[in-house]
């Protein structure tokens, strides 16, 4: 799925006007976050340069400097021609050798407990808000579709589509600030998750939790939605603590 075909609304919390003094650095951070969250899948195209530059309030010269850094890091590639643009490069299914060491080095300074607590607060709050206020017909459709995508996902795509489900839920809460904060913390959570293996049994359990959570939200049972989300976050936290603490 390309941003033009459905995920563009989830780019909103990530792509924001940058501050004049740190245009390059903040633009780089935002596009890195898009890649790390999987908002644009491997093999698919980032939004056009003009759109990216306008949404972040930077010049196209600055944007091209940002994209050059990402290309040098092996995260994107530029393609010419009618169907050209900047494409996100697929990530390997599992880190190997130096890549795994690099991942662990990257998260070595992360306060895992702080990240996990903040994630739980944001996710539980978002689930409760969605259930308490109810979703529009369009919002309910988006949530069901995001859930269905995770249920049909191959292992190599599961974490990206799981991220999109949780980001959709945050966005449907109606709080732009909550959604932006969740996008930021989820990027760190994904770095942590990349350091541990995908466990089929855990994914099956997560899918049952997802389905029950979506049902509670659609039934407008805020208490059940909050409790189901809290339980779901605690399961992920237990795995991360077990592998990384």
């Amino acid at each position: 799925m390309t941003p033009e075909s459905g995920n563009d609304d989830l780019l909103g919390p990530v792509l924001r006007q940058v501050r004049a003094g740190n245009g390059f650095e903040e633009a780089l951070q935002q596009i890195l976050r898009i890649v790390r969250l999987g908002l644009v899948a491997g093999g698919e195209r980032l939004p056009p340069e003009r759109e990216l530059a306008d949404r972040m309030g930077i010049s196209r010269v600055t944007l091209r400097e940002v994209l050059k850094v990402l290309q040098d890091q092996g995260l994107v590639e530029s393609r010419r021609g009618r169907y050209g643009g900047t494409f996100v490069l697929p990530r390997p299914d599992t880190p190997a050798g130096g890549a795994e060491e690099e991942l662990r080095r990257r998260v070595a300074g992360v306060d895992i407990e702080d990240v996990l607590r903040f994630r739980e607060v944001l996710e539980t709050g978002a689930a409760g808000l969605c259930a308490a206020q109810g979703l529009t017909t369009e919002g309910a459709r988006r949530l069901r579709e995001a859930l269905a995508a995770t249920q049909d996902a191959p292992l190599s795509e599961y974490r990206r589509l799981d991220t999109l489900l949780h980001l959709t839920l945050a966005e449907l809460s109606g709080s732009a600030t909550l959604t932006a904060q969740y996008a930021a913390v989820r990027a760190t959570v994904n770095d942590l998750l990349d350091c541990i293996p995908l466990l089929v049994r855990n994914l099956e359990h997560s899918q049952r939790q997802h389905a029950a959570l979506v049902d509670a939200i659609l039934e407008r049972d805020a208490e059940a939605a909050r409790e189901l989300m809290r339980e779901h976050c605690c399961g992920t936290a237990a795995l991360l603590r077990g592998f990384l603490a």
Side-chain angles (χ1 to χ4, degrees):
M1 180 183 293
T2 61
E4 296 90 338
S5 65
N7 284 344
D8 193 42
D9 44 4
L10 291 176
L11 297 185
V14 179
L15 288 177
R16 293 183 161 196
Q17 296 282 301
V18 303
R19 290 168 291 190
N22 295 312
F24 171 80
E25 291 81 4
E26 291 188 17
L28 179 60
Q29 178 188 41
Q30 290 185 31
I31 299 180
L32 273 170
R33 190 167 291 163
I34 288 171
V35 174
R36 290 165 65 198
L37 288 170
L39 297 182
V40 178
E44 295 181 356
R45 184 171 53 192
L46 289 171
E49 286 187 7
R50 179 174 296 178
E51 179 184 341
L52 286 172
D54 287 347
R55 290 176 72 165
M56 291 187 288
I58 59 175
S59 70
R60 293 178 73 175
V61 171
T62 298
L63 175 62
R64 286 169 183 158
E65 292 174 348
V66 168
L67 296 177
K68 178 64 165 58
V69 170
L70 297 176
Q71 187 168 330
D72 290 344
Q73 294 299 310
L75 298 174
V76 303
E77 69 175 6
S78 178
R79 301 178 192 171
R80 297 182 179 275
R82 181 178 178 183
Y83 300 105
T86 301
F87 290 76
V88 176
L89 291 173
R91 301 174 70 179
D93 292 344
T94 56
E100 183 173 5
E101 292 177 8
E102 169 59 22
L103 280 173
R104 290 184 176 273
R105 186 198 63 76
R106 188 194 309 165
V107 302
V110 172
D111 185 335
I112 295 177
E113 289 302 320
D114 182 63
V115 169
L116 296 178
R117 289 192 189 102
F118 191 39
R119 181 217 178 176
E120 181 181 333
V121 168
L122 292 175
E123 294 243 44
T124 302
L129 282 171
C130 286
Q133 65 199 11
L135 300 181
T136 64
T137 300
E138 171 64 13
R141 180 194 64 78
R142 286 180 55 201
L143 188 59
R144 288 192 186 98
E145 287 186 353
L147 173 64
T150 64
Q151 292 170 334
D152 297 333
L155 280 178
S156 60
E157 277 285 277
Y158 181 81
R159 280 184 178 155
R160 185 181 75 84
L161 294 172
D162 174 67
T163 297
L164 295 182
L165 170 61
H166 285 264
L167 275 172
T168 297
L169 182 59
E171 195 268 336
L172 291 174
S173 73
S175 170
T177 301
L178 185 154
T179 309
Q181 290 294 315
Y182 179 68
V185 77
R186 181 65 194 224
T188 302
V189 169
N190 281 1
D191 279 347
L192 296 170
L193 288 171
D194 282 344
C195 294
I196 71 173
L198 281 166
L199 305 176
V200 173
R201 183 172 180 179
N202 168 250
L203 299 188
E204 291 172 346
H205 182 223
S206 290
Q207 283 304 100
R208 291 193 294 271
Q209 290 178 326
H210 285 158
L213 173 65
V214 169
D215 284 345
I217 290 170
L218 296 178
E219 292 167 6
R220 302 193 63 174
D221 188 339
E223 183 177 351
R226 285 191 291 268
E227 186 54 36
L228 285 162
M229 181 61 89
R230 184 176 293 108
E231 181 180 292
H232 181 63
C233 289
C234 286
T236 303
L239 277 181
L240 289 171
R241 291 185 182 110
F243 278 103
L244 301 178

